[in-house]
Amino acid sequence: MMQAEKLNLTQAWDKTYPKDDRVDHRKVTFVNRYGITLAADCFTPKAARGKLPAIAVSGPFGAVKEQVSGRYAQEMAARGFLTIAFDPSFTGESGGKPRFMASPDINTEDFQAAVDFLSVQENVDPARIGIIGICGWGGMALNAAAIDTRIKATVTSTMYDMARVNAKGYYDSEDSEEARYAKKAAINTQRTEDYRNGTYQLAGGLPSPEEVTADTPWFIKDYSAFYKTSLGYHLRSVGGNAGWCVSGCQSFLNQPILQYVNEIRSAVLMLHGDKAHSLYFSKDAYAAMTKDSPYAGNKELLLIPGAVHTDLYYKMDVIPFDTIQSFFTEYLK
């Protein structure tokens, strides 16, 4: 019998975006296949009747639902969908210990557990369920769509392949056995220290805008301007505070995701800014998904002119919600 952990859920509106009076909001929890209880914000269109199409949303990597995923979920609820924005395992208000860990398997499962939850809600049509994954959870969303036939439509926004960037570095600049060995050695040395000390060392978060220098990579400046300012800071976010555990992403080094994306039969819409440092992740995943695939006809990569990576986190006039709505309306019918 699945038993939910009792979570300490904040009932106050502590989001980084304003409340939309077009929707009703409540907190919900659900349990994944590993027994971890996940926390989510559930948004329902006001005066909704009957069984609704539903969407589960998560991401970015290192964010919490109060920052970005909830913004997407609330807007899509205002457009007629029942939505949930959830904190992945080990982060935010969700359960899982130790904290600030990530896993290609468990985090893919988190999306599937969200589908489990939506599938049994009285006001949801289980044949009309979609997902949205943002940043690192865009990769997890594609991974889930490749294994879960209940997912009828998937949107990724400003997607990262976390397995690729961990194992190969940015732009594959560390794609060598020696580079990977050095990473493994450092992580495993820390694991010994963590076990000896009975604690888990955190990697440290992003620099504050005041700590940014001319030598800081521009995409780090981009993240800092969101996570470390009033624009997007949240006290529970991983990226905006002390960061992931040093050993938190170790399994990504030899457990790649996206291996069978060319077998995804359901519809996929990928969104990415054409000025984003991360664009190559979406371009390559889209190519892998459509090359020599009989299911390429319902796949699309939409580039947003002039947008950088974090623009699709919060800029309501840049995120193409009309396109997202049309996509889900077409494929969740």
Side-chain angles (χ1 to χ4, degrees):
M1 179 70 180
M2 294 181 188
Q3 181 139 5
E5 175 187 355
K6 184 170 177 54
L7 302 177
N8 183 23
L9 301 180
T10 302
Q11 297 304 321
W13 186 267
D14 62 345
K15 323 298 185 192
T16 61
Y17 55 89
K19 193 174 191 309
D20 192 327
D21 291 335
R22 296 174 293 174
V23 306
D24 292 321
H25 165 263
R26 64 189 176 101
K27 289 285 184 75
V28 299
T29 61
F30 53 95
V31 182
N32 73 14
R33 187 164 53 98
Y34 295 104
I36 300 170
T37 301
L38 303 182
D41 286 301
C42 180
F43 300 95
T44 309
K46 278 197 181 294
R49 297 289 183 271
K51 289 187 176 292
L52 301 173
I55 303 169
V57 192
S58 197
F61 195 81
V64 287
K65 60 189 182 303
E66 290 77 15
Q67 292 172 298
V68 180
S69 58
R71 182 184 294 270
Y72 275 70
Q74 181 176 246
E75 179 63 25
M76 294 311 296
R79 292 167 180 260
F81 302 84
L82 185 145
T83 64
I84 59 171
F86 65 89
D87 286 328
S89 295
F90 314 111
T91 65
E93 292 187 301
S94 288
K97 291 182 180 180
R99 306 301 288 166
F100 315 132
M101 293 286 182
S103 161
D105 181 23
I106 295 174
N107 295 140
T108 298
E109 161 63 21
D110 289 343
F111 262 119
Q112 293 192 261
V115 175
D116 293 341
F117 172 80
L118 291 173
S119 295
V120 301
Q121 300 309 300
E122 290 186 357
N123 54 348
V124 168
D125 181 348
R128 294 190 291 163
I129 295 176
I131 60 175
I132 299 175
I134 305 154
C135 185
W137 263 261
M140 303 303 177
L142 284 184
N143 218 39
I147 197 172
D148 199 324
T149 57
R150 300 169 300 174
I151 297 170
K152 304 306 181 187
T154 300
V155 169
T156 68
S157 181
T158 201
M159 190 206 88
Y160 256 57
D161 177 344
M162 295 309 303
R164 179 176 177 180
V165 75
N166 273 280
K168 300 181 180 182
Y170 280 98
Y171 310 108
D172 300 337
S173 60
E174 300 168 357
D175 186 15
S176 71
E177 180 187 347
E178 287 302 316
R180 276 186 287 277
Y181 185 87
K183 290 180 186 180
K184 296 171 192 175
I187 292 171
N188 290 314
T189 296
Q190 186 62 55
R191 285 183 64 126
T192 302
E193 288 303 303
D194 287 348
Y195 198 85
R196 177 179 289 115
N197 298 330
T199 60
Y200 290 89
Q201 181 67 37
L202 299 181
L206 292 160
S208 67
E210 295 74 28
E211 295 170 325
V212 165
T213 69
D215 295 329
T216 303
W218 72 271
F219 63 89
I220 298 296
K221 297 177 184 177
D222 188 25
Y223 286 136
S224 175
F226 178 78
Y227 284 108
K228 302 292 282 191
T229 70
S230 59
L231 191 62
Y233 176 78
H234 197 278
L235 57 87
R236 287 192 294 273
S237 76
V238 181
N241 293 287
W244 297 94
C245 286
V246 171
S247 60
C249 296
Q250 184 176 23
S251 57
F252 286 101
L253 283 169
N254 68 343
Q255 294 180 31
I257 60 175
L258 310 184
Q259 295 303 289
Y260 296 102
V261 290
N262 67 331
E263 296 180 5
I264 297 176
R265 300 186 183 187
S266 56
V268 176
L269 170 64
M270 305 185 74
L271 310 171
H272 224 114
D274 70 356
K275 302 301 182 186
H277 71 277
S278 50
L279 177 57
Y280 71 103
F281 290 122
S282 282
K283 282 187 170 180
D284 289 355
Y286 177 76
M289 188 164 45
T290 56
K291 183 180 179 182
D292 301 325
S293 172
Y295 313 114
N298 57 1
K299 310 298 188 292
E300 181 182 359
L301 172 60
L302 176 64
L303 302 186
I304 314 302
V308 299
H309 184 86
T310 59
D311 285 344
L312 298 188
Y313 282 9
Y314 68 97
K315 292 187 176 179
M316 301 299 284
D317 59 340
V318 175
I319 303 168
F321 280 112
D322 288 345
T323 301
I324 298 172
Q325 178 182 352
S326 296
F327 171 78
F328 281 123
T329 298
E330 178 178 358
Y331 291 106
L332 298 183
K333 61 185 178 184

